[in-house]
Every structure is written in C-alpha cells, then in structure tokens.
Amino acid sequence: MSNLVRSRVRAVPATHAALPRTRSLLDAEAIAVLHRAAQVLLDDVAGLTTALVGELRRQEPAYRAAIEADESEVWQEVYQSLLHNVASLIRPRECRDIARRTSRMIGASRAEQGVPLDAVLHAFRLGGAMVWQGLVDETARRHPEDMRLLVHVAADVWNFVDEHCSIVADAYREAERRMAWRRENRLRLTTAALLDGTARITDLPDASALLGVPEDGRFVVIAAVAPRPHTAGPPVTLPPGTPVVWHSTPEAELGIVHLAGPEAGARPLDPAGTPEGETRAAGPVDPAALAAGLHAAPGVRVGIGSAVIGLAAIGEGRRLAGTALQACPRGGGVVLLDDHLPAAVVVSSPNLGRALAERVLGPLYGIDPADRHLLVDTLTAWLDAEGSAQRAATRLYCHRNTVLNRLRRFEQLTGRSLSRPSDVVEVSLALTARRLLEP
C-alpha cells in the first residue's frame, strides 16, 4: 500500500462539500459512487483500523515503538481517526468538525509523546492511501462500470487527506511551541530557585534531571555585568564545551557551570546541544580553568565564585560569585574569588573596610591631593612588585631612591612601618578598600 503514498502539491484545504452547488450531473453521480463505497468502509472501520495498524508496525519505526508499548491505545487512536474521516466523506457537514478535532488531538498528543512529525504525517498519508485503495477496490469489485466516475472525486479525496495533514502539522508544531515554553519557564524557575537558595530538597532530583547534571556534582557560579547599553544574552564567552545554564537578574547575568569531575555517567546540560555521534568537549575542572578560558569584552565585570558541592549549595555559590563581582575593578575585568580573598574580605564587610581605610590612610588626606595620589601610586607599585623598590621604580619610570623616599614619607605620615608584616597587611587591605569602596 505504500506505493499509493505519493507526494502531492499542497492544495487549498477544501473537501467536496465546499464545491459549488451547481455540479454537473456527472459530478453528482461521482459523489454517489463515493458515498456508496465509503459506506462499505465505514461499516468495517474496525477491520480497516487493524490493517492500518499492521502497516504502521511494518513501515514506520516510530509507530512500531508506540504500538509495542501500548497497542490498544494506538488502535483506538487510528480507529477514531478513520471513523470520523471516512464519515466526513459521506456526511461532511455533520462530521467535518469532529474529524478536524480528532486530527488536531492526534497531532498534539503525538508531539507530547515525542513521535517525529514526519512519522505522524506518514501515518496519515498511509491511512489516506488505504482509504482510497479501499474505495477503488470496493467499486471495482461490485460496480466496475463506475470506476470512471470515482476518478472524478479523486482530487477531492486527496485534498481531504492534505487538509488533515496540515491540521495535524499545525497542531503538532503548536504543541511543540507550548512544550518548549513550559520547559523554558520551568528551567527559568528552577534555576532561579537554585540561585536564590530557595529550592526544596525534594525538588533537587527533578532539578538534576531538568538541568542534566548530577545532584551531587561540583558547580561554580559566574556573575557578569556589562556596561549599559548591552545587547541581550551573557556578556562573556566561556571555554568550548563548558556546560552552563544562564539566568538574568536586574543586577547581573548569572551562570551555573557544572565542573568536570569523577561523577560516573554525568552528562551536563549543553544549551547549544551536541548532535548525536559527536563528542562533546569536557568542561573546566575547576574555577581557575574556567577563568583562564573565559573571555569578557572591554568594560565587562565578571566575578567567579569558589566551587561548591551539590545543587543545594548553588545559592552559596551565587553569594560567592557576588562577592567576587564586588571585588572586580570598576573599569572591568575578571576576578576569581579564590585568587582575591583579601579583597573579598574587604567587600564582604564594607563598613569595616571603609573604617580601616580611614584609619590607615586618613593622614594622607591632610596633604596636597597630587602628593597623596603620588604616594598611593608608589605604595601600590611597591606592593605589586612584592616589596622590590627597583622593580617599582621601573614601573613608575623613576629612580629607586625616589621610591624609597616616598615610602619613608608614607611611613612618617601614617605611623605605619613597611618593614613590619602586620602593618603591611593593614596597608594592603586599606588600599584595597580605597580602590573598591570609595566612590
């Protein structure tokens, strides 16, 4: 019967019922032949259903799986479709609407079950071919002289099949859009709950399945802020193969990254998808590897938190990423929290940080602003050079003795000794607080 399933130019959805009332006598006779043959099919629609289900089992792998899972459910679906569609050939006004509703229902339900659209359309066209073959066989067997009349309604019958294929396809795609929206909304709500730390323990297995990550995996949260205006989407590019789920908030773009680890069978979510048969690159193994491969556009501020264990700890991961973001320079850059813990301490307690800056650097505000900036720049360069006056002088394009003189003046003004480790710690934290907390 598959040889009857042929490609056709899509016609304007219309059945013979929509044709003008002023048909010729020949057309009326052809319709009578159609009705007579269709009634025979309708009387044995159960047998036609069994035959079609058998053809689907043989010809369509997607339906074969559904039939093996629940043959009675597929049989009832096919039965209802054939019943209403064959009846529509006889009584279009009475049966057309329920036939269309049935086709829409089948298209939507098969989309929800994941049966490919091509398979569903093939099933409908195969059913159309069997109905047409049944009309031909019935007419040829009982009234062979009427075969020439049946040809006159062939286009109407196939237009009918095409119309229902269109109905099925539209319902299928609408169901796909609806399911995609539901999944995206569920993903958004689940991600928000994880980041807020409000996800219930009982919801974590579902979250694991939805995100495609192990419940007890290792994760790190990224917080990124772009200068305004900014186009939609994350303002950073992650290393290839990084499994990440992004979530937008008014404050920042947040990304949950699943770190590659020893979890057996873990298949982290890859929003871009990986075609079947291709190998997906492994994601970063730790926050440092993530930071090394991350690219941020100029002006974008990025904070990368420390690794946390388990989906239940994602809320803590967000807090750590937020702290790293606070430690990021105003002009942009990437801050890995694990490499900037002293700065994280300062921004975690901004009031204490400002108090420390005032206590250590306050005396500098009594001198000329230009001199103050010169001393601060020199001290910063000396600390960055790990206490080497020579390297600091090279960076500042001055003599080594000039650096030493400025450092001595700083010690005189503040009462701090740069040879005393505890004082150096206070000075370093005070400079960090001044850089990050002062307007």
Side-chain angles (χ1 to χ4, degrees), residues 191-208:
T191 305
L194 290 173
L195 289 166
D196 292 341
T198 57
R200 297 175 298 185
I201 297 298
T202 54
D203 293 335
L204 294 182
D206 288 341
S208 172

Side-chain angles (χ1 to χ4, degrees), residues 57-79:
R57 186 195 295 271
R58 285 188 290 272
Q59 296 192 33
E60 185 49 66
Y63 267 84
R64 186 182 308 132
I67 293 170
E68 291 173 355
D70 190 348
E71 184 171 357
S72 62
E73 188 270 338
V74 176
W75 195 95
Q76 283 295 330
E77 175 186 288
V78 174
Y79 177 84

